[in-house]
Amino acid sequence: MRVLLVVALILALPRRSTAEINMADSIEWMTADSDRVVVARVATLTETKGPGQVVWVKVTFAISETLKGPDAKQVDVMVRHLTGDPPAKWKADNRELLLFLVDAKRRAIRDGECREGASCTSAYTRAPFALRGGRWGEGDALKLDGSAQAFTITHDVIGKRAELIAKAKATAASKATQAFQLDLPLDSPAGRALYGGSVVFLYVPIDAALEQAAITWIASTDARTRAQGIEALAHFQSRANTERLEKLLLDPATHDLTEGDRPTVRRFFVRKRAHDVLRAWGVPHTTPPIDTKP
C-alpha cells in the first residue's frame, strides 16, 4: 500500500518541460556567412501563396547603408514566410531592418530545393537574393528598433541599432568559410538568454577574432573555458600557439570519468586536449600523465 501511495504522489507532481539543446548563430557568423549585409526598408512587395501555408514574397528593399557587399540603392529579395512578422507588416510599419543576404540559389541549396551544380527552379530564384536563413529560421532580418537580440563571440547579447550595425561592420571583412561551435557558459548573458534546460551552442566564424578570443580563454581561471580555448586554437597552428599549448600540458584540472565497464579514472582533461592538438599538429612532445586513479 505504501508503494502505491508513493507512485500516486509521484504521478501527481507537476512535470518538468523537456530540456532542450539550444543553438544560435552569432552576429559575427551571420555577417561572415552572408554575401551582402545592408540596412534597408521595404519599398515594394509581391506575394504568392502556396504550397500549403507558405507565402512567397518578392521584396524590393530600399538600402540606406551597405555594411558588406557592393553599394546599391536597392536589392530584390525572395522571402519564404511561415511565421513571425510578414514582409507586409515590415512595409506597413516602415520597419528599418538589418538584412543578412545570400545568393538565392545558395539558399535554395541549403533548404534542399536544389542541388549544387544543377539547374534550379526554386521559388527563391525569382529574385537574386534571399535571407541567409540560419539557425533561427528567418532571423536574418533584424529589427533596428531595439527589440532584436543578437549574440556575440564574447557571450554578450546586443540589440541596440548602433551595436548591431557596429558589430556587422567590424566583421564584414572576415574571410571565414566555417563556423566553430562554442559551448556557451550558462551564466553568461547569451547563455542565459538561450538556455532551454540543457547546453547552449553558439556558432562563431573561424577567423582571426576567434584566435584572439581563444588566446584569452586558455588563460582563464575556469578549466572548461581553458579546454574550449584549446579546441578553438586547434584551427590556428603557429609557433606561438604551439608554445601556448605546451604550457597547458601541466594543467592541473581534472574530472572523474567512467567509460562503459572500465574502472573510473581521474582525467587531466585540459592537458589531454592540449596533447591531442599538439599530436594532430605533428609537434614532438612528452606525453604528460593524463589518467590516474581517483
Side-chain angles (χ1 to χ4, degrees), residues 7-70:
V7 172
L9 287 172
I10 292 173
L11 292 175
L13 290 173
R15 297 184 180 180
R16 296 182 180 179
S17 58
T18 303
E20 295 180 353
I21 297 176
N22 283 346
M23 57 188 67
D25 289 332
S26 67
I27 188 171
E28 292 94 346
W29 177 234
M30 290 164 61
T31 302
D33 193 43
S34 296
D35 299 320
R36 298 181 70 178
V37 181
V38 299
V39 178
R41 301 177 192 267
V42 176
T44 63
L45 57 82
T46 305
E47 293 187 354
T48 305
K49 297 187 182 298
Q53 300 298 313
V54 176
V55 178
W56 291 95
V57 190
K58 184 176 182 180
V59 186
T60 297
F61 287 98
I63 299 172
S64 59
E65 186 174 4
T66 297
L67 309 182
K68 181 179 181 180

Side-chain angles (χ1 to χ4, degrees), residues 5 20 50 55 67 76 85 92 99 109 114 119 127 138 153 162 166 183 199 218 227 232 239 266 269 271:
L5 179 59
E20 295 180 353
V55 178
L67 309 182
D76 291 335
D85 288 347
L99 302 173
I109 291 171
C114 297
S119 60
E138 299 296 354
I153 191 174
D183 188 350
V199 295
I218 63 172
R239 181 175 179 178
R266 181 153 295 163
F269 66 97
R271 64 173 67 169

Side-chain angles (χ1 to χ4, degrees), residues 30 36-45 59-67 75 77 79 85-101 131 138-148 159 161 164-165 168:
M30 290 164 61
R36 298 181 70 178
V37 181
V38 299
V39 178
R41 301 177 192 267
V42 176
T44 63
L45 57 82
V59 186
T60 297
F61 287 98
I63 299 172
S64 59
E65 186 174 4
T66 297
L67 309 182
V75 62
V77 179
V79 179
D85 288 347
K89 183 167 176 55
W90 297 343
K91 186 176 190 305
D93 294 345
N94 194 29
R95 182 76 65 195
E96 186 182 37
L97 301 165
L98 179 58
L99 302 173
F100 299 85
L101 306 175
L131 294 176
E138 299 296 354
D140 292 285
L142 298 179
K143 299 176 185 177
L144 292 177
D145 59 1
S147 65
R161 182 184 188 279
L164 295 169
I165 291 176

Side-chain angles (χ1 to χ4, degrees), residues 159-270:
K160 294 180 180 179
R161 182 184 188 279
E163 292 175 326
L164 295 169
I165 291 176
K167 183 61 71 173
K169 281 183 175 179
T171 316
S174 173
K175 302 300 182 184
T177 58
Q178 292 182 306
F180 176 75
Q181 180 179 281
L182 181 61
D183 188 350
L184 278 176
L186 300 182
D187 60 351
S188 67
R192 289 194 297 269
L194 291 165
Y195 183 67
S198 186
V199 295
V200 176
F201 296 128
L202 185 69
Y203 292 83
V204 301
I206 299 175
D207 58 13
L210 176 62
E211 181 178 13
Q212 291 307 307
I215 290 171
T216 65
W217 294 339
I218 63 172
S220 171
T221 56
D222 178 72
R224 286 186 60 206
T225 302
R226 295 198 300 276
Q228 183 154 248
I230 293 169
E231 291 180 2
L233 212 57
H235 296 280
F236 307 98
Q237 183 174 1
S238 69
R239 181 175 179 178
N241 289 339
T242 294
E243 292 174 354
R244 292 184 175 102
L245 294 188
E246 286 174 336
K247 293 177 182 178
L248 291 171
L249 291 174
L250 298 177
D251 192 278
T254 63
H255 61 206
D256 289 350
L257 180 68
T258 304
E259 296 178 322
D261 296 331
R262 298 177 183 176
T264 298
V265 297
R266 181 153 295 163
R267 173 163 293 173
F268 290 89
F269 66 97
V270 175

